[in-house]
């Protein structure tokens, strides 16, 4: 059977979808590896943290931080992120993976993934007082009726 132009286009589309799915899977795998290497020591493999030790639970909460500008910036500026031995592109990929993996249901409807350029701009100005910055974010979210533990 001779391939028709329509079949050829369909085959090309299928190949492109497979390749893009493979690239996404590779990016997710890379982000998961980075999370394991750089974050699980404090935040645990499942994102549960150690609340009694001051490491917050990220599950079903992290996405809320993107609902206020200070919260979006906070996730990049916290010492564990801003001081990580990762590139800005890696940080963006890792944060996007964490948000979708631990807190997809709390992401804002207009969620825009972090970009390398955004991380570069935010990471250049780390937090002076992490506790105060987090308290500000939590307070701003509480004004919207969102409780962060």
């Amino acid at each position: 059977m001779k391939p028709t132009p329509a079949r050829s286009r369909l085959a090309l589309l299928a190949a492109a979808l497979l390749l893009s799915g493979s690239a996404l899977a590779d990016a997710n795998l890379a982000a998961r590896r980075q999370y394991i290497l750089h974050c699980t020591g404090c935040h645990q493999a499942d994102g549960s943290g150690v609340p009694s030790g001051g490491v917050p639970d990220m599950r079903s909460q992290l996405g809320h931080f993107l609902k206020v500008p200070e919260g979006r910036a906070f996730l990049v500026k916290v010492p564990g992120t801003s001081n990580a031995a990762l590139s800005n592109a890696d940080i963006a990929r890792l944060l996007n993976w964490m948000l979708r993996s631990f807190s997809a249901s709390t992401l804002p409807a207009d969620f825009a993934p972090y970009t390398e350029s955004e991380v570069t701009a935010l990471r250049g100005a780390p937090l002076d007082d992490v506790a105060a910055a987090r308290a500000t974010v939590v307070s701003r979210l509480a004004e919207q009726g969102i409780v962060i533990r």
Side-chain angles (χ1 to χ4, degrees):
M1 178 188 304
K2 185 177 178 184
T4 64
R7 281 193 179 168
S8 295
R9 283 192 301 275
L10 186 58
L12 285 172
L13 177 61
L17 288 173
L18 284 172
L19 289 174
S20 67
S22 175
L24 179 60
D26 289 347
N28 284 334
L29 182 58
R32 179 159 172 67
R33 279 191 207 130
Q34 289 170 335
Y35 179 81
I36 290 167
L37 291 171
H38 297 278
C39 309
T40 57
C42 295
H43 288 286
Q44 311 303 310
D46 65 352
S48 62
V50 183
S52 63
V55 181
D57 186 341
M58 296 186 294
R59 300 170 301 170
S60 300
Q61 297 193 106
L62 198 60
H64 288 307
F65 279 69
L66 290 131
K67 295 176 180 173
V68 294
E70 303 94 323
R72 187 173 178 96
F74 179 83
L75 296 180
V76 175
K77 293 179 169 201
V78 293
T81 305
S82 64
N83 295 327
L86 295 170
S87 71
N88 293 327
D90 288 340
I91 293 288
R93 181 177 49 241
L94 176 58
L95 286 171
N96 293 328
W97 177 85
M98 290 168 57
L99 287 159
R100 289 183 179 115
S101 295
F102 298 131
S103 198
S105 66
T106 65
L107 288 171
D110 62 348
F111 168 64
Y114 283 98
T115 64
E116 178 180 2
S117 60
E118 178 184 17
V119 170
T120 301
L122 292 169
R123 202 174 178 195
L127 298 172
D128 292 327
D129 186 341
V130 177
R134 188 176 194 281
T136 298
V137 172
V138 169
S139 175
R140 290 283 317 276
L141 290 170
E143 292 169 4
Q144 296 180 25
I146 299 168
V147 177
I148 300 295
R149 307 177 292 242

